[in-house]
Amino acid sequence: MAASTILAVTPQYIVYSDSITFVLGCVGNALNLLVFLQLKCFRDQRVTLYLTIEIIASLLNRTLSIAFNVCSAIYKNDLVSNSIHWCRFRYIAFQLTAHVAFSMTCLAAID
């Protein structure tokens, strides 16, 4: 009984939690992007380029994550298990965006 209840609630939890983190992440990244690109004191810094690239990579990672999770949870159509191309794209895209974001954070700290 408990296992079937958990399995029934899990897709809804995924959709709601991903939606909340997506919205909060987009708002936070958009505010950071505005600060780094609009304020004159940040435009001359080299670290601004690193942080801007990190913000874009983070936004792309969250967008891809919510797209795949919502598609599989709401429409019951898991693109990753149906197509080898989507499986490879998802793996490469998540790894690439995560590593770019982490690398840019490290480069910003070094700079």
Side-chain angles (χ1 to χ4, degrees), residues 9-59:
V9 173
T10 301
Q12 294 173 349
Y13 175 75
I14 290 171
V15 170
Y16 291 130
S17 65
D18 273 356
S19 299
I20 291 170
T21 58
F22 177 73
V23 169
L24 292 176
C26 285
V27 168
N29 282 335
L31 289 174
N32 284 336
L33 201 58
L34 282 173
V35 166
F36 288 136
L37 296 179
Q38 295 297 322
L39 292 179
K40 195 169 194 116
C41 62
F42 287 118
R43 280 191 231 160
D44 299 334
Q45 304 288 332
R46 285 184 298 187
V47 73
T48 305
L49 175 67
Y50 299 136
L51 294 176
T52 303
I53 293 171
E54 187 268 333
I55 290 168
I56 293 169
S58 178
L59 279 171

Side-chain angles (χ1 to χ4, degrees), residues 89-105:
F89 172 75
R90 179 182 179 212
Y91 180 75
I92 291 170
F94 283 146
Q95 293 297 318
L96 181 69
T97 55
H99 286 156
V100 165
F102 183 71
S103 298
M104 291 301 128
T105 304

Side-chain angles (χ1 to χ4, degrees), residues 78-92:
D78 191 12
L79 294 172
V80 177
S81 64
N82 290 339
S83 172
I84 189 72
H85 299 294
W86 281 110
C87 181
R88 289 180 182 168
F89 172 75
R90 179 182 179 212
Y91 180 75
I92 291 170

